Amino acid sequence: MTSSAGPEGRIVSIERVGPIALVAVDNPPVNAASQALRQGLVEALEQLDGAEGVEAIALYGKGRSFIAGADIREFGKPPMPPGLPDVCNRIEACETPVVALLHGVALGGGLEVALAAHARVALPDTTVGFPEVTLGILPGAGGTQRAPRLAGIAAALELITTGRRIDAEEAVRLGLIDRLAAGAPRDAALQAAEDLRTGALPRRRTGEIAVAPDAAAIQATTAKLAKRQKHLFAPFKCVEAVAASVQPLAEGLATERALFQQCLDSPQRAGLIHAFFAERAVAKIPEAGATPRQIGHVGVIGGGTMGSGIATAALLAGLKVTLNERDAEALSRGKATIEKNLAGAVKRGKLSEEKRDAILKDALQTTLKLEDFSKVDLVIEAVFEDMDVKKEIFTRLDAIARPGAILASNTSYLDIDEIASVTSRPAEVIGLHFFSPAHVMRLLEVVVAGKTAPEVVATGFALARKLGKVAVRAGVCDGFIGNRILGHYKKVADYLMLDGASPQQIDAALEEFGFAMGPFAVLDLAGLDIGWATRKRLAPTRDPAERYVAVADRVCENGWFGRKTGQGFYIHDADGPRPNPEVARFIEEERAEKGITPRAFSDDEIVSRYMTAMIAEATRVLEDGIALRPVDIDAVFLFGYGFPRFRGGPMFYADTLGPAELLRRIEAYAKEDPHYWRVPALLRRLADEGRDFASLNKEA
Ligand code: T1G
């Protein structure tokens, strides 16, 4: 009846059991609603609806879930009928009662198929949701019209504008699911159809339910979005679509289709879908075929912000952790930070109090003796960023850790090859660069040294998955991928400041571009002293030909390190952050010392210089083989640096400008400062060949 895909060779299959017809979808791995699946469903319904002897139909999914949603790979391509709206409308129009049996996930179009059925039953493990808004679109197969009919406008708005996933119990409470069931999906589907046939399970056409208007919910949601997501397009279209659900179904569906198309045409949709696939693409590394080692017990050296954050992440993932510090006071501080982090997880509903207590009682150990690391599977060193200190620690670890244990450093820029050179096991030495706060930020740079073994790299990626993080493979250089690029483009912010733009104007321009915070606000948040220490470390090797801006040093010399001291580039007090007038004075004085006549900068020019600098250094990171592909750089900035997700990442954004435009900009800026603004050879090659960065993703 349909083209082959699933193990049994059919995407949609029909099984007759007396007066019941079971329709199973089988499109591994997630039953995405591909064209063949949609076609198969429509054909099955044409065959079964009103057929002699068929008194009820049940839809269910084979494998791990119901339908995970539309096939995202089809977006941006010409539509391939039948569309999901056609499938949903055909289900709802059936004369024969139809029930959807849900298990695993029913997301987006998958949930919409279920809402179009005349009843919904779910296994307890089911989660449902409308993630469309996270992809820059909206539920386009009736979800904005049917969800309000079952759950009310307020609940539907919350689910559709947040993309939040809910469990089966909450879905039953909201009215999206009628009841829970037990057993295997097929058997539960059979029982649900039987209950529908006998009337034990009430049947109703969702489209015939009237929706109570809720202007208050619509206004409140719009106000919240205007405050928190003013850059985004789709959330506001979601509100418009749900608001249309008070109309008769046909009119509401027409409004939904029009708004869906607007979202589909938005550049934000392209960026958000690229971000979705980027998170998965970066797992495709040369070492993916190697067998990861089992990690059950992690030893963390250093209980500072990073070490305790890493320990927290491992504990939350169910791993055993032994935390080591050099003295009792530091150790108890580290443990206290972990307890605070876990309390935060309990407060956010991510961890039960019972589990928190069990973690602290059984999973976390603390010790002053490095010798207690003799049985761990992996050591993560997170101590002071000093090569001599790290070498001394790795020499000791090499003698203490059991054979096969992996030794990792959380260093954010130091040379992993050099660290590995002091051990007898360089194949088992790797960089695991976490981002602060380590139990929250999803990015993990897995830094592969010259002798790191493939299965050790694969273990780093497996650990990232277990911790719920996005691992990106990085080569060894100062700063690896993210910090190396940051170190380059941050200078442009300093140049702009000295040449005429104020820190607050620069921050505002980049926040308007979509960053959650501008560079100077980020510095105040992270602490100006960290960068100051690095600049002092690098001072002896600083290139005299490179422009150096001393404003931040002068701020630090006054002991102003940002939020933690109450002032930095901004003054931070009860009245909220505001520009620090002392900084304006430092800028004026440095301009005078250097004979700089300030000029005005437009916000567009600020963004152009800042982003062009980021892309130029990212291109050099690609040239040097430090990142595998442009998409890896996108993932680093999306998951580690607050890059606006709707822009897809620096390299995806670069392709919206094109190599030729980027070349033009760099050559124009180089006229002022040929030392800083240099054209990467790869960029020139792409421009000459008329190619874009996306073409390099396919090459790797
Ligand atoms: N379409 C196409 N491919 C998909 C897909 C989808 N919807 N979902 C997952 N994949 C691929 C994924 O790229 C990966 O491929 C493999 O399946 C396993 O995924 C009309 C228009 C379901 C919770 O947004 O959230 O419906 O890397 O690694 O961790 O209104 O996948 O192996 O080549 O993520 O177990 C709405 C997106 C679409 C759901 C499973 N639905 N998917 O997570 O596996 S828009 C979604 C997920 C829509 C309607 C609108 C997750 C998952 P590869 P995975 P997982």
Side-chain angles (χ1 to χ4, degrees):
M1 186 190 65
T2 54
S3 62
S4 70
E8 291 80 41
R10 282 203 310 273
I11 288 184
V12 176
S13 57
I14 296 174
E15 179 191 353
R16 287 295 304 276
V17 183
I20 305 296
L22 297 179
V23 176
V25 296
D26 190 9
N27 185 23
V30 297
N31 287 333
S34 62
Q35 191 280 339
L37 186 146
R38 304 192 299 268
Q39 182 69 37
L41 273 179
V42 168
E43 287 174 357
L45 293 167
E46 289 305 328
Q47 183 183 325
L48 295 167
D49 184 20
E52 183 63 34
V54 176
E55 298 178 29
I57 299 167
L59 308 177
Y60 75 97
K62 287 193 173 176
R64 57 180 173 169
S65 76
F66 188 63
I67 297 170
D71 188 331
I72 304 176
R73 283 173 293 231
E74 290 181 8
F75 291 170
K77 294 174 186 161
M80 296 186 281
L84 261 172
D86 307 322
V87 175
C88 293
N89 295 338
R90 183 65 188 86
I91 292 168
E92 187 165 78
C94 281
E95 288 309 316
T96 304
V98 180
V99 61
L101 187 281
L102 310 183
H103 82 289
V105 295
L107 298 172
L111 180 53
E112 291 174 294
V113 164
L115 298 184
H118 306 141
R120 284 149 297 283
V121 176
L123 297 187
D125 73 337
T126 307
T127 57
V128 302
F130 292 110
E132 288 90 339
V133 72
T134 66
L135 299 171
I137 48 180
L138 54 80
T144 66
Q145 308 303 308
R146 295 189 173 97
R149 283 171 163 78
L150 292 167
I153 282 185
L157 271 178
E158 194 273 333
L159 290 177
I160 290 170
T161 57
T162 62
R164 184 168 73 92
R165 211 186 292 179
I166 60 175
D167 63 23
E169 288 74 19
E170 185 173 359
V172 169
R173 279 199 303 278
L174 290 177
L176 293 175
I177 289 174
D178 296 294
R179 66 176 63 160
L180 300 184
R186 177 204 168 277
D187 303 338
L190 182 58
Q191 184 57 54
E194 181 57 16
D195 292 347
L196 196 65
R197 187 182 73 81
T198 62
L201 175 62
R203 173 204 181 172
R204 54 184 178 166
R205 279 203 177 86
T206 313
E208 292 168 1
I209 302 169
V211 183
D214 190 343
I218 287 170
Q219 281 150 17
T221 304
T222 304
K224 195 190 302 182
L225 292 172
K227 192 155 169 273
R228 293 189 190 159
Q229 299 186 319
K230 62 184 166 122
H231 295 104
L232 296 183
F233 180 77
F236 297 92
K237 297 301 168 185
C238 289
V239 177
E240 283 183 57
V242 170
S245 64
V246 294
Q247 299 165 12
L249 183 65
E251 288 170 41
L253 288 174
T255 301
E256 178 189 84
R257 288 312 299 159
L259 293 168
F260 178 81
Q261 192 56 49
Q262 289 178 34
C263 292
L264 216 50
D265 297 341
S266 151
Q268 292 191 3
R269 184 266 307 158
L272 287 165
I273 287 188
H274 174 76
F276 171 86
F277 283 119
E279 182 176 340
R280 291 153 178 83
V282 294
K284 295 176 173 69
I285 57 173
E287 298 86 356
T291 306
R293 293 183 188 169
Q294 289 308 309
I295 302 293
H297 184 183
V298 179
V300 176
I301 305 179
T305 306
M306 287 311 292
S308 52
I310 294 167
T312 306
L315 290 164
L316 289 171
L319 297 176
K320 196 174 161 198
V321 173
T322 299
L323 177 71
N324 164 261
E325 256 290 4
R326 56 178 184 283
D327 62 58
E329 202 266 332
L331 191 57
S332 72
R333 248 201 335 267
K335 185 175 180 187
T337 305
I338 292 170
E339 288 167 343
K340 185 166 69 65
N341 293 342
L342 293 175
V346 170
K347 195 159 162 248
R348 289 194 304 274
K350 302 274 186 212
L351 182 71
S352 70
E353 294 200 356
E354 296 70 32
K355 273 199 66 59
R356 185 268 315 273
D357 298 343
I359 284 173
L360 293 173
K361 179 170 166 292
D362 306 324
L364 173 62
Q365 273 125 29
T366 58
T367 178
L368 293 173
K369 292 190 300 177
L370 214 46
E371 288 68 26
D372 288 344
F373 279 16
S374 60
K375 292 188 173 47
V376 301
D377 307 313
L378 162 71
V379 180
I380 302 177
E381 167 272 314
V383 301
F384 184 59
E385 285 288 76
D386 175 280
M387 183 54 87
D388 293 338
V389 170
K390 293 187 191 294
K391 282 182 172 178
E392 190 268 330
I393 285 176
F394 272 77
T395 304
R396 291 180 59 204
L397 279 174
D398 191 30
I400 293 166
R402 67 172 177 73
I406 292 171
L407 309 181
S409 172
N410 170 59
T411 181
S412 55
Y413 52 78
L414 293 177
D415 186 328
I416 304 291
D417 288 304
E418 191 175 343
I419 292 172
S421 69
V422 301
T423 72
S424 63
R425 60 175 91 190
E428 292 165 327
V429 176
I430 193 166
L432 293 179
H433 178 214
F434 290 80
F435 285 74
S436 184
H439 61 295
V440 176
M441 292 301 278
R442 295 197 61 207
L443 178 63
L444 175 64
E445 281 183 324
V446 177
V447 186
V448 181
K451 294 181 179 164
T452 306
E455 68 271 15
V456 173
V457 179
T459 305
F461 274 72
L463 177 73
R465 270 194 303 281
K466 186 150 181 73
L467 300 184
K469 292 188 178 294
V470 179
V472 176
R473 189 185 188 284
V476 174
C477 73
D478 194 314
F480 314 132
I481 298 174
N483 282 348
R484 168 173 159 179
I485 296 168
L486 167 65
H488 185 76
Y489 70 78
K490 202 177 66 57
K491 292 171 186 167
V492 162
D494 285 342
Y495 298 158
L496 285 162
M497 172 173 64
L498 214 50
D499 294 342
S502 68
Q504 48 274 22
Q505 183 195 1
I506 294 164
D507 280 350
L510 290 160
E511 284 158 20
E512 188 52 36
F513 177 79
F515 284 94
M517 295 171 86
F520 295 101
V522 169
L523 282 173
D524 266 21
L525 176 67
L528 293 167
D529 46 332
I530 298 168
W532 191 34
T534 303
R535 289 193 299 277
K536 287 190 283 188
R537 169 176 70 86
L538 292 175
T541 58
R542 188 179 303 139
D543 182 343
E546 183 171 282
R547 279 186 80 184
Y548 185 77
V549 177
V551 172
D553 297 346
R554 294 196 59 187
V555 176
C556 292
E557 283 151 14
N558 283 276
W560 301 334
F561 297 151
R563 283 194 190 178
K564 59 179 151 184
T565 60
Q567 63 179 320
F569 280 96
Y570 296 89
I571 291 176
H572 303 273
D573 58 21
D575 303 334
R578 60 186 185 283
N580 183 345
E582 286 302 287
V583 171
R585 184 166 62 82
F586 296 158
I587 294 169
E588 291 305 327
E589 286 170 0
E590 187 163 347
R591 283 174 183 159
E593 285 157 26
K594 294 180 177 174
I596 291 171
T597 306
R599 73 169 176 87
F601 284 89
S602 68
D603 288 357
D604 286 350
E605 185 176 1
I606 289 170
V607 170
S608 170
R609 286 171 177 263
Y610 192 84
M611 287 308 304
T612 304
M614 183 187 295
I615 293 161
E617 188 61 16
T619 308
R620 284 185 278 268
V621 160
L622 281 171
E623 280 174 347
D624 296 349
I626 300 298
L628 287 173
R629 302 152 289 219
V631 70
D632 294 77
I633 296 172
D634 288 334
V636 163
F637 280 86
L638 289 169
F639 297 104
Y641 290 78
F643 193 90
R645 191 177 168 88
F646 68 88
R647 294 195 185 272
M651 310 317 276
F652 188 86
Y653 173 71
D655 279 350
T656 65
L657 302 172
E661 165 60 13
L662 290 162
L663 210 52
R664 186 198 62 74
R665 290 182 182 187
I666 295 173
E667 286 168 345
Y669 300 151
K671 291 190 177 72
E672 307 155 19
D673 181 350
H675 183 278
Y676 178 86
W677 292 101
R678 291 169 289 110
V679 172
L682 172 59
L683 185 67
R684 189 176 300 284
R685 179 157 64 81
L686 289 174
D688 292 348
E689 295 168 4
R691 295 171 58 201
D692 60 11
F693 286 103
S695 65
L696 300 178
N697 286 331
K698 299 183 185 81
E699 253 182 21

